Structures are given as structure tokens and as C-alpha cells.
Amino acid sequence: MDKSTPQAIHLKDYAPPPYLIDTVDLAFDLGEDVTRVRSRLAIRANPDAASPAGALVLDGQDMRLVSVALDGRTLDPSEYSVGPESLTIPGPPEAFSLEVVTELKPQENTSLSGLYRTSGNFCTQCEAEGFRKITYFLDRPDVMARYRTTITADALKYPVMLSNGNLVASSKMEGDGRHTVTWEDPFAKPSYLFALVAGVLVHVEDSYVTRSGRTVTLRIYVEPGNQDKCGHAMASLKKSMAWDEEVFGLEYDLDIFMIVAVGDFNMGAMENKGLNVFNTKYVLAKPETATDTDFLGVEAVVAHEYFHNWTGNRVTCRDWFQLSLKEGLTVFRDQEFSSDMHSRPVKRIADVQRLRAAQFPEDSGPMAHPVRPDSYIEINNFYTTTVYEKGAEVVRMIHTLLGADGFRKGMDLYFERHDGQAVTCDDFVAAMEDAAGKDLGQFRRWYSQAGTPELAVTGEYDAAARTYRLTVRQSCPPTPGQPTKLPFHIPLALGLLDPSGADIPLRLAGEPGPAGTSRVLDVTGPEQVFEFVDVPRQPVPSLLRGFSAPVKLRAPYTDDDLTFLMAHDGDAFNRWEAGQTLATRLLLDLVADRAENRPLELSPGFIDAFSRILKDPDLDPAFAAQALTLPSEGYLGQQMPVIDVDGIHEVRTFARRAIAGRLRDDLLATYRAMGGNEPFSIDAAAIGRRALKNLALGYLMALEDAEAVELCVGQFHNAQAMTDVIAALGLLADTRLPQRESALRRFYDLWKDEPLVVDKWFSIQAMSERPETLDEVAALLAHPAFEIRNPNKVYALIGGFAGGNPVRFHDAGGGGYRFLADQVLALNRLNPQVASRMVKMFARWRKYDPRRQSLMRAELERIVATPGLSRDVFEIASKSLEAS
Ligand code: B3K
Ligand code: ZN
């Protein structure tokens, strides 16, 4: 905790490290009370440093320094100085060895960063700056060293002791009941990829033979009793390994790959070299306990962390401003992997929904920052959806501009040039440019300019000349610190539909003949005109196919155009998009009607379009489920200058009832058709059928008639798969039915010993639209299964309420706001990273009406005025309050 006002760190101040560390030899003596760490470093002055090396300043915090020795000689305390976050040795030799001994108390570490305890085991998390809580070090990613790690601990309490690389030595129990192991990682790595795990763990094992014929041992370590939930993670790992070889020619490089699942973890998982540490949420899955969303999450996160081995570990980031170098690229890779494993359009829709739900608001709020930020106060606050998801969109645009082959050549060149190095986003773009021979100069602005660009497109058909002129204008709203923007290079993928719904062959003026029916236009100027020739009839343009750029599209479509595109667009993403655009328009009109006390009525044409989707036997059920889902309350709110929380909730509820009322029989038929009794399977088709079935049940429950309730209660009691149980329970939780309480009780009784399932129980209650939800959530804080030190519990209950229940969190009384601020302050002391994630829910306070604004602002002011605020919370809360 900082007493003074925390200071920002700037990209423009980057300088290479004055010293390099070639090898790190660590010895951990793990104890119940004190853990002792002996670190031996081979250090030398950096020949590429800007200025003479001077004093050696090592990072370190929250430890007790025991001793320092230089080239074997123990230093007198007068020969070094220790600050709250550093150890300084003035004027060391050009090259030397340094031995530092520190003592830690991992059992008191509630931040879950550095070395900490979880379920009695030891575990580390070093990204971004946790290694400095273990030992004094140059804790920055451009210092890459080879690590050797020895661990000694009680053999009964910690039978399993793991670190990065290969096991090179182990000694049996000594007379004192302790044992020792030594691990060696042959690959140089930054300190943030260091990991250690020790405790009572069991593992499931498999193996994988790489393309070049090496056998790799694969192990997933879990707490005893969870072995039966590792199959999906293991299968996902093997698929990821095969996919990376096939698509990018990248093989795994050690003899063993380990995953450890722990219950207390701040985020999803961590890609430590050879020893990934995972939140149990992204490992443990079996049909009885995990939903389809969980299964897909496990697959995607296992893949993501595995892919980091090349994009992140072998080639890492020079500094933390370059975080998207590894994260944006690795998210892109995991998205592509999941697309190949399942349905590409369905995956694309889910990814775009996520981008719009989280990244677009971030990009237009007080925390807006470029994909490569210019400054930060606390780097852990920048593991954002902008760095991750928008970063992935930026990589995807490069892929679109270069084509799959060009992109692959760029990746090959990137690894050829930079394997073993710590590099920048610019290095990545340069490799892409050089390999494909395409100028990405202007494109680089995607890394430096924040904000979501807007693309306004209009079309003009000239029947006599048979030409169709598209005028494209781009603009980008100001963001903090960036009042004006230069034009972006935007790949605009499009097609033109003729009146029958078929794609017209595309020929731009000046081209010798038509080529293809889908094109990527290079939009680079503030305003550009593209003229298509040989266009026989007035077309309907299908714009931004596949969401080819992370922008907001404005096009003057009529309702009929949208209905037409919904039915005919050859691009599945745009078929979905047309429906969403139409639904958004209609629902916002209804919100306005409600505000003006006009009667609400949902357009019959829209309901007919829904009916056609529902009855189309050729449609992929997964796609149909997405197409039949109305835009979320959050998304609708984003489209309004002042978010009308209650109006949106009421109108969306009204629309769901209107659709259900009109299409009741079709919904029932769909429910029954998708319900089949086939054995559980996790393939895309089965997931799609469950999604459509539960969507139908959701609409039917909007009517809450006897038949719907019976189906819902029956499904809750009889379903085998958690997906179906949770769908039913979530619907019951919104009602005042007598079955609600008994279902919630029964669910808890059944699953009280499965923490991940209990999390679902918390979040379902937190997201209930009933007016008493806040009181119930507050009461649940005292439930024996709730534990504020466990991030998953916080995300489920507090996060579920503040982030997943707009109508209750934003209750005009302000109780929700007070509740969240209280929790932020409680968490601030225990776990700043989790606290900071929670305080972000206030960031968009300026989007609400004056009354809610002042209530939220008061809570933010209360937080900022609290003494002992962590850098994490201070940065978010204070930036949220800054003038917009
Ligand atoms: N690299 C980690 C995230 C670390 C977050 C540190 N606060 C997981 C991932 O993106 O794969
Ligand atoms: Zn990552």
C-alpha cells in the first residue's frame, strides 16, 4: 500500500535494463510459518544499456531480507540499502554473482500474487510483478534468464513439488521428514513466467507425440477427488498441440507439460513455462457439474495458455506496455482454434458480443486506453478487454489484410527473427509487413489510438450507369488524453445482394472484370468513395462481413433491408447482425414509447422473422439460438445517450413476453424437438441443440403459464447435464413461484461440496431480477460457503450482482452502489487486483441520469478518500472521477 499519491509509468521513458541476469539458482525451504528463499544470480552489465551501469537496483517487496553476498562475500548492511520496494547495491563489478536470502510468509499473502497458499498447498503467481514478492530481482520482462529451482519441504504435507522445466534431481525423505527436488528450465525466460507449486495433489497423465516424433508427458494436477473432471482439459490440450503444429508449424519444446488447478486464483490461468497454473474453473469439467459454457471455456483457456508457449514465452514482451503483443495474438490464436473445433460463425458472434459488451464500453469510458497503452499506474489494471480482445481484433485485421498465407509467412518470420527475445508490438507488425510485402504504416495507429471508430456508409445506385457508389466516412470520438484522432486503416469486408438475395459478382471501377462476391476494401481516409460497376439492379449491401473491423457501423438500412439481410445474407455473421440491428432499433423505439407513456407494441414483422428462424429446419440450432436472442440490456444501454435502466429492462421483458405469446406453439415444438434423450456429448451440434432448447424454455417461462412452469421444474429435477439444470434454475430464480426456494435449496444441498457449482448457485441468486435481490446478496455474504478471500466467490456473488444485474445494481435508491463500494473497500485490503476489478463497475457512472450519477460519484469519492488505498483501486477510482 502506498502512502503518497501513486505515480504513473510511461512508455516513452522505457530504457533497456542496466544489468542482465543470465542464470538464476533458487532454493526454497517451504515452512508452515516462514519460507526461506535463497537466490543466486549471475549478473553482468548490459552492453546495450543507454548509460554506464551504475548502481544495481533490484525490485522487491513484502519480504524480510536476511542476507546479501556478492561474489561469495557477505555484505555488511552499510554496503547496500533496502527500500520498501527495492534493494540497491551501489557500484557493483561488471560481472558478478549475487546471493540473496529472503524470508516470506505465504500463509498471510491474501493478494494471490507472489507465493501464497491455496487449500493448504503452496502456489505462485508472478505475472505481472509477483516475482519481486519472492526474491529481489530485475523484475521486468526484458531480463531473461535460465532458472534452476530446488524445493525442500515436509514430505507428507507436500509430496508433490513442481517448478518450470524438467525434473533433474530428487532426494527421498531425510531423517527430518523433509524431501528435496530440483527442476531446471533450459529456456531463458522472464521472471513473470516462473512458477512453483507444492502440496497434496494427484495427477492424470497422458502423452503426446509431436510432429517430429518427440514424446511429451502431459500431466494435470488437481486436489484428490477431482481426477474424474480432467478428461476434457486433457483432450483440449492434445487438440491444441496438434492444431498449433498444423496451422502454425509450432511444436512443444520440453519433455513435460504440466497444468495445476488451484481453487484460489485471481484470473483464469497462467502460462508459466512448462507449468501452467489454472483456476479450477478452467480445468475441472464433467457434464454433471459443468455447463456447455464451462466446457467451451476450459477448451479455450487450455488452448490459450498452451499457445502462449510460443506467443509469450519463446517470444516475450519487452515491457508491459507491449502486453498485447502476447495477449492479443494469443487470444486471436485461441479464437481461431475454437472456430476450427466448432462452428466458425457461432464463435465469431460470441466473440463480437463479448467485445461489444465489455470492450466498447471500456473504449468510450474513463479507462479508455490504446491496445498498447502509453502509461499506467498499476500494470495489473491493464489486463483489459482492450489489450486482450481488441488486441485480438487488431491481429485479426492483419490476418484479413494479408490473407491466411501472408499471415502465416509473417508468423514464421516473427519467430525466425525473435525467438528467445523480448520484443515490441512494432516488431510484430514489422515481421508481418516484411513477410507479406504490405505497408502497415497507417495500420499501426490501431496500437496507439484509443476509442472505437465509427464507420458511416451510404450507397447510391445509378440504374442507367449500372453503378453502385459506396461512400465511407470514418471518425473516432475523443478519449482521455487523445482529443483528436488520425484516420485508421480499416479493412471493410462486404458483398452486394441482388433482389433475390444472391451475391452479385464484384467489380470495382477500373478493374478488368468481376472477381469474387466478397471483398475487403481498404478504408484509409476520412471519406472515401468506392464505385462498383456492372451492377444490374439496386443492391442491398452486406457491410463489415464477419465483423472485419472493431468499429461501429452506421448504415441507413430500412427495416425491410434488415429483414431481407436476416433471411438472405451469404455471410452468417451478418445475417445475425441484421437481426440484432433490427431488434435494437425496435427495442429502443419501445423504450422511447414507454418514456412518453405510449402503449407498447412489438412489430408483427419482427415476430414473423423470428418465427421463420425458429421453423427453419436447415438452420444450425446454435446459430438459431444466437439469432433469437434479443440484444442484452447492457448493449441496449450503450446505444442511449442516457441509459434508461428501468425502461430497457421493462421493454425487453415486454418484448420477450410478446414473442413468447405469439410463438408459443413453435417454441414448445422447438423445445421438444431439441430435447431428445441422446447421451450427453460435448460436440458443437449437441451444444447447439441444448442452447436452442433452453432458449425456447426461456421464452416460454416469460409467460410463466402452468405448462412452462411444469417443463421448467421438470427439467430442473430430471436433467442430467448441468447446462440444463442451470438453465432451469436461472429461470426459476427470477420468479415468485413456490418452487423457487425449494429448487435453490435442493441445488445447494446436492452440490455444497463442489465449490465451482456453489459459485453458480451464488451467481444465479445475484442475477435475479426480483426486487429483494440486493438484500439476499448482502445476506449471502454471511453464508458459510461464501469466502471473500476466494476470487471465484467474489466474481460469482458480488460481480454477478454488480456486473450481471443492471436493473438491481442500478436501483435508483443507491443501495446497490453502497453495497459495491463497501465490498471494494473490504477487498482493497485483502486482494487489490480483485478489488480493482470490482471498482471498475462504477467507471461508466456518467452514462446515467443525474440522480444515479451523483449516487455513484459519491461512492467513488468515498473510495478515493479512504486511507491505505492500493495502487490498483486508486488508479481506477481516481481516473473514473477525472473530468470527461
Ligand atoms: N497471462 C495471464 C494473465 C496474468 C494477469 C496478471 N494480473 C493469463 C493469460 O492471459 O493467459
Ligand atoms: Zn494470455
Side-chain angles (χ1 to χ4, degrees):
M1 311 267 162
D2 241 44
K3 297 246 155 36
S4 55
T5 306
Q7 294 301 305
I9 300 171
H10 296 270
L11 168 58
K12 63 174 165 40
D13 296 337
Y14 172 83
Y19 289 92
L20 298 176
I21 302 176
D22 295 315
T23 59
V24 181
D25 188 320
L26 296 168
F28 286 82
D29 197 340
L30 303 174
E32 296 314 292
D33 183 33
V34 170
T35 287
R36 188 172 262 251
V37 183
R38 196 265 300 133
S39 152
R40 215 173 270 148
L41 310 174
I43 308 184
R44 66 188 159 95
N46 181 3
D48 299 326
S51 47
L56 171 70
V57 185
L58 298 175
D59 306 296
Q61 63 191 56
D62 304 345
M63 303 171 288
R64 192 177 85 78
L65 177 63
V66 176
S67 63
V68 186
L70 199 152
D71 285 334
R73 183 178 70 85
T74 302
L75 299 186
D76 185 80
S78 66
E79 295 176 274
Y80 57 83
S81 61
V82 186
E85 298 197 351
S86 63
L87 164 64
T88 304
I89 299 169
E94 275 287 299
F96 57 101
S97 92
L98 190 74
E99 185 175 301
V100 179
V101 178
T102 50
E103 282 184 351
L104 339 168
K105 299 210 160 188
Q107 67 279 8
E108 291 171 11
N109 180 358
T110 58
S111 70
L112 312 189
S113 153
L115 179 66
Y116 66 93
R117 306 204 60 161
T118 166
S119 303
N121 298 332
F122 285 93
C123 168
T124 57
Q125 170 57 35
C126 292
E127 188 176 2
E129 298 178 334
F131 193 69
R132 63 185 64 186
K133 296 163 113 187
I134 295 173
T135 185
Y136 286 95
F137 202 74
L138 288 173
D139 192 13
R140 44 187 289 169
D142 53 358
V143 172
M144 298 175 78
R146 270 174 296 114
Y147 285 66
R148 185 187 156 90
T149 306
T150 297
I151 314 169
T152 303
D154 185 285
L156 289 176
K157 289 195 179 109
Y158 310 102
V160 173
M161 300 194 291
L162 311 172
S163 191
N164 316 86
N166 304 309
L167 183 67
V168 293
S170 66
S171 72
K172 291 254 166 346
M173 233 196 333
E174 307 290 339
D176 60 358
R178 296 172 80 72
H179 67 154
T180 299
V181 294
T182 301
W183 292 83
E184 218 172 68
D185 182 355
F187 292 93
K189 64 168 175 287
S191 50
Y192 81 85
L193 290 174
F194 170 80
L196 175 153
V197 171
V200 179
L201 295 163
V202 291
H203 70 265
V204 297
E205 180 165 319
D206 204 331
S207 66
Y208 180 82
V209 181
T210 68
R211 208 165 53 152
S212 67
R214 283 184 314 104
T215 301
V216 180
T217 301
L218 310 177
R219 286 191 182 163
I220 300 181
Y221 287 88
V222 293
E223 283 179 42
N226 281 329
Q227 298 96 306
D228 64 333
K229 304 191 198 80
C230 299
H232 185 64
M234 186 64 89
S236 303
L237 175 59
K238 293 168 81 173
K239 284 184 198 166
S240 310
M241 296 177 87
W243 186 88
D244 218 11
E245 291 179 353
E246 193 181 314
V247 177
F248 288 109
L250 299 171
E251 262 186 51
Y252 186 62
D253 52 11
L254 287 165
D255 300 332
I256 184 164
F257 185 83
M258 296 175 282
I259 288 177
V260 182
V262 301
D264 300 285
F265 206 65
N266 282 342
M267 61 274 168
M270 178 64 213
E271 69 264 25
N272 317 299
K273 183 76 187 191
L275 178 57
N276 286 190
V277 177
F278 271 59
N279 188 322
T280 45
K281 182 174 165 61
Y282 292 106
V283 174
L284 305 181
K286 60 178 181 180
E288 296 78 13
T289 59
T291 62
D292 291 343
T293 308
D294 295 328
F295 273 91
L296 294 174
V298 168
E299 183 181 73
V301 178
V302 166
H304 180 96
E305 306 309 331
Y306 173 74
F307 296 155
H308 266 316
N309 190 55
W310 277 94
T311 50
N313 302 4
R314 291 284 291 252
V315 182
T316 195
C317 303
R318 187 193 71 174
D319 54 74
W320 290 121
F321 298 101
Q322 319 296 330
L323 182 57
S324 197
L325 171 81
K326 73 177 177 84
E327 295 305 347
L329 178 54
T330 305
V331 171
F332 169 76
R333 277 152 52 68
D334 85 53
Q335 290 176 346
E336 283 300 291
F337 166 74
S338 295
S339 300
D340 286 347
M341 297 299 118
H342 304 276
S343 149
R344 184 163 281 270
V346 167
K347 172 68 178 157
R348 187 65 185 139
I349 290 166
D351 289 340
V352 172
Q353 274 175 324
R354 198 182 148 107
L355 187 82
R356 284 177 172 157
Q359 201 278 325
F360 279 20
E362 181 169 270
D363 228 355
S364 64
M367 278 296 293
H369 55 275
V371 166
R372 182 188 54 224
D374 298 314
S375 74
Y376 58 75
I377 291 176
E378 170 53 60
I379 183 55
N380 286 316
N381 282 334
F382 284 79
Y383 287 73
T384 58
T385 170
T386 297
V387 166
Y388 275 65
E389 274 80 21
K390 187 176 180 180
E393 292 300 319
V394 171
V395 173
R396 182 173 298 284
M397 287 189 285
I398 297 179
H399 186 272
T400 302
L401 290 169
L402 268 48
D405 290 344
F407 187 84
R408 170 64 199 271
K409 285 197 192 103
M411 288 290 277
D412 291 349
L413 184 59
Y414 174 64
F415 293 119
E416 195 185 307
R417 282 183 181 169
H418 300 300
D419 188 13
Q421 298 175 6
V423 304
T424 64
C425 297
D426 251 340
D427 292 323
F428 174 75
V429 179
M432 287 288 158
E433 245 175 352
D434 295 347
K438 174 129 184 155
D439 178 5
L440 295 173
Q442 181 182 354
F443 184 85
R444 281 176 169 78
R445 288 178 192 156
W446 283 107
Y447 287 94
S448 57
Q449 296 190 140
T452 308
E454 292 186 10
L455 213 52
V457 184
T458 52
E460 211 185 315
Y461 182 64
D462 183 334
R466 292 164 54 98
T467 59
Y468 185 69
R469 288 162 61 92
L470 269 185
T471 304
V472 182
R473 293 182 189 85
Q474 64 161 305
S475 61
C476 184
T479 50
Q482 295 187 335
T484 59
K485 319 270 175 175
L486 296 167
F488 290 88
H489 180 175
I490 299 172
L492 172 60
L494 56 70
L496 301 178
L497 274 66
D498 75 13
S500 77
D503 270 340
I504 299 172
L506 299 179
R507 178 178 173 195
L508 282 165
E511 290 179 348
T517 54
S518 220
R519 274 301 174 88
V520 179
L521 303 179
D522 287 284
V523 176
T524 51
E527 179 170 335
Q528 259 167 288
V529 176
F530 299 89
E531 186 174 82
F532 292 93
V533 297
D534 296 342
V535 182
R537 304 269 301 274
Q538 164 88 43
V540 177
S542 165
L543 302 167
L544 206 68
R545 281 188 159 171
F547 200 68
S548 62
V551 300
K552 292 181 183 164
L553 176 71
R554 312 268 178 242
Y557 286 121
T558 64
D559 290 1
D560 286 346
D561 289 338
L562 291 170
T563 311
F564 174 81
L565 288 171
M566 244 173 120
H568 300 293
D569 200 319
D571 182 72
F573 177 87
N574 269 9
R575 272 203 311 278
W576 170 81
E577 178 81 329
Q580 295 294 302
T581 307
L582 184 58
T584 302
R585 189 181 285 180
L586 298 177
L587 291 170
L588 290 177
D589 285 349
L590 290 176
V591 172
D593 288 342
R594 176 186 172 276
E596 304 282 323
N597 289 316
R598 286 191 292 264
L600 301 184
E601 203 196 328
L602 191 61
S603 129
F606 180 70
I607 300 183
D608 288 343
F610 259 43
S611 159
R612 277 193 297 275
I613 295 172
L614 205 51
K615 289 198 227 159
D616 184 345
D618 299 328
L619 223 48
D620 170 10
F623 178 85
Q626 283 170 323
L628 295 169
T629 302
L630 294 177
S632 70
E633 291 181 27
Y635 181 73
L636 293 168
Q638 280 180 51
Q639 318 308 312
M640 300 185 73
V642 177
I643 301 173
D644 178 355
V645 184
D646 299 312
I648 289 171
H649 182 71
E650 197 181 303
V651 155
R652 198 172 177 279
T653 306
F654 160 81
R656 287 175 54 78
R657 281 204 190 112
I659 293 167
R662 273 277 310 280
L663 303 181
R664 189 172 175 281
D665 293 344
D666 298 333
L667 288 162
L668 272 171
T670 300
Y671 181 81
R672 298 211 171 93
M674 296 295 133
N677 272 334
E678 75 262 39
F680 181 87
S681 139
I682 196 64
D683 60 73
I687 294 174
R689 282 195 296 277
R690 284 190 288 273
L692 187 54
K693 174 183 70 182
N694 288 318
L695 172 114
L697 184 64
Y699 274 110
L700 291 166
M701 275 298 281
L703 300 172
E704 243 186 74
D705 59 23
E707 192 170 1
V709 172
E710 196 186 314
L711 286 178
C712 188
V713 173
Q715 177 168 320
F716 172 75
H717 284 281
N718 303 323
Q720 299 297 307
M722 182 54 81
T723 299
D724 296 332
V725 176
I726 278 290
L729 184 62
L731 293 167
L732 290 172
D734 275 340
T735 70
R736 318 203 73 81
L737 296 165
Q739 293 94 327
R740 176 188 197 265
E741 302 315 312
S742 54
L744 282 167
R745 213 173 318 115
R746 178 185 149 97
F747 187 86
Y748 182 75
D749 287 343
L750 271 174
W751 297 112
K752 58 181 177 304
D753 297 325
E754 293 281 354
L756 294 172
V757 184
V758 173
D759 293 344
K760 299 179 193 307
W761 182 78
F762 278 121
S763 65
I764 274 189
Q765 295 175 84
M767 295 194 300
S768 167
E769 65 178 31
R770 292 159 29 117
E772 48 274 77
T773 293
L774 172 58
D775 292 340
E776 289 173 0
V777 169
L780 283 169
L781 289 177
H783 191 280
F786 184 78
E787 171 50 71
I788 198 163
R789 286 179 167 75
N790 176 253
N792 287 356
K793 292 281 173 290
V794 173
Y795 300 149
L797 186 63
I798 303 168
F801 174 73
N805 197 346
V807 71
R808 290 301 145 224
F809 174 57
H810 291 286
D811 182 88
Y817 303 150
R818 217 160 27 248
F819 169 80
L820 180 63
D822 288 344
Q823 302 317 311
V824 167
L825 291 173
L827 285 161
N828 173 64
R829 269 168 270 138
L830 297 167
N831 188 330
Q833 287 187 41
V834 173
S836 139
R837 279 219 214 174
M838 293 299 113
V839 79
K840 273 190 182 177
M841 319 257 188
F842 283 127
R844 307 267 303 154
W845 63 277
R846 282 196 175 85
K847 285 284 286 176
Y848 295 83
D849 54 83
R851 182 193 159 87
R852 288 182 170 93
Q853 280 196 21
S854 71
L855 289 166
M856 276 188 267
R857 179 200 196 118
E859 296 303 336
L860 280 168
E861 284 167 348
R862 172 158 76 97
I863 290 169
V864 171
T866 304
L869 215 53
S870 59
R871 267 202 286 254
D872 311 60
V873 173
F874 171 81
E875 177 168 35
I876 306 288
S878 61
K879 286 184 175 173
S880 298
L881 285 168
E882 270 166 26
S884 58

